[in-house]
């Protein structure tokens, strides 16, 4: 019995140049499609983090105001009933109604603003824009208290709104 000759086939078992070029082109095409999807996923996650953080901080500010209205926080004549700074929400305030003078805490920790682009070592309270009770809503300014917080980012969200307006 005779074994057929291998003269018509390739001598080596490696890939040809064309096969390698086609493979690289396909991988580059897949990467070009996957990269924008990955960026979109990261932005969507940051937006969810921003919504959650805003809700958390604003709820704590409202709880502080409620405690002040109920007389559980010491009142001063010139105060509005909102926290003087964000750190108070974490540090707590003395409950004047409690005979043991226990503290009331409104947050376990202050979340960082996800779109903050400044110093990464900045404390979380400095990552937020703060609006005083006496400042206008369309041009928020800091003041003697913290009535609201907002993102300082000038970027636009996926829905077309600006993070600053959330």
């Amino acid at each position: 019995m005779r074994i057929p000759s291998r003269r018509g086939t390739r001598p080596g078992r490696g890939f040809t140049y064309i096969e390698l070029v086609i493979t690289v082109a396909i991988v580059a095409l897949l990467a070009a499609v996957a990269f924008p999807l990955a960026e979109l996923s990261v932005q969507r996650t940051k937006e969810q983090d921003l919504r959650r953080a805003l809700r958390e901080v604003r709820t704590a500010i409202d709880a502080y105001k409620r405690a002040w209205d109920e007389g559980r926080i010491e009142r001063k004549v010139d105060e509005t009933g909102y926290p003087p700074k964000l750190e108070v929400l974490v540090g707590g305030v003395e409950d004047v109604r409690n005979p043991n003078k226990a503290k009331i805490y409104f947050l376990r920790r202050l979340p960082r603003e996800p779109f903050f682009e400044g110093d990464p070592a900045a404390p979380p309270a400095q990552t937020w824009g703060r609006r005083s009770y006496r400042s206008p809503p369309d041009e928020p300014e800091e003041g003697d208290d913290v009535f609201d917080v907002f993102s300082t980012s000038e970027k636009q969200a996926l829905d077309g709104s600006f993070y600053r307006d959330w």
Side-chain angles (χ1 to χ4, degrees):
M1 169 167 201
R2 225 173 143 179
I3 300 176
S5 168
R6 293 184 166 232
R7 283 189 217 175
T9 63
R10 293 188 311 208
R13 293 187 173 224
F15 294 106
T16 65
Y17 182 69
I18 293 295
E19 290 171 332
L20 287 174
V21 167
I22 289 173
T23 303
V24 169
I26 291 171
V27 169
L29 180 66
L30 291 174
V33 170
F35 188 69
L37 291 176
E39 283 183 342
L40 184 68
S41 176
V42 168
Q43 184 175 0
R44 190 171 287 136
T45 301
K46 279 186 167 183
E47 286 185 6
Q48 289 172 345
D49 291 344
L50 177 60
R51 280 190 182 97
R52 185 176 56 250
L54 283 169
R55 189 176 315 114
E56 188 177 338
V57 174
R58 287 173 175 166
T59 301
I61 290 171
D62 292 342
Y64 183 98
K65 173 68 168 143
R66 195 174 317 108
W68 190 85
D69 289 340
E70 292 170 354
R72 295 180 66 197
I73 298 174
E74 183 181 358
R75 295 180 182 210
K76 295 180 184 163
V77 177
D78 59 341
E79 287 184 341
T80 60
Y82 291 98
K85 54 187 180 176
L86 289 174
E87 292 86 355
V88 170
L89 300 173
V90 176
V93 291
E94 190 176 293
D95 186 353
V96 295
R97 283 187 167 176
N98 188 325
N100 298 331
K101 302 296 182 193
K103 281 191 166 186
I104 307 170
Y105 297 96
F106 303 97
L107 284 175
R108 289 178 189 253
R109 67 171 187 80
L110 187 63
R112 291 183 65 81
E113 197 268 294
F115 290 98
F116 181 70
E117 296 176 349
D119 180 17
Q126 292 180 4
T127 63
W128 293 100
R130 294 171 294 282
R131 175 180 164 217
S132 171
Y133 178 74
R134 292 185 175 92
S135 76
D138 51 342
E139 291 185 28
E141 296 174 357
E142 290 188 38
D144 296 334
D145 58 10
V146 180
F147 174 70
D148 193 16
V149 292
F150 57 90
S151 173
T152 57
S153 175
E154 299 295 330
K155 292 182 180 178
Q156 197 169 12
L158 293 174
D159 66 1
S161 64
F162 290 92
Y163 297 125
R164 184 178 181 88
D165 297 334
W166 286 15

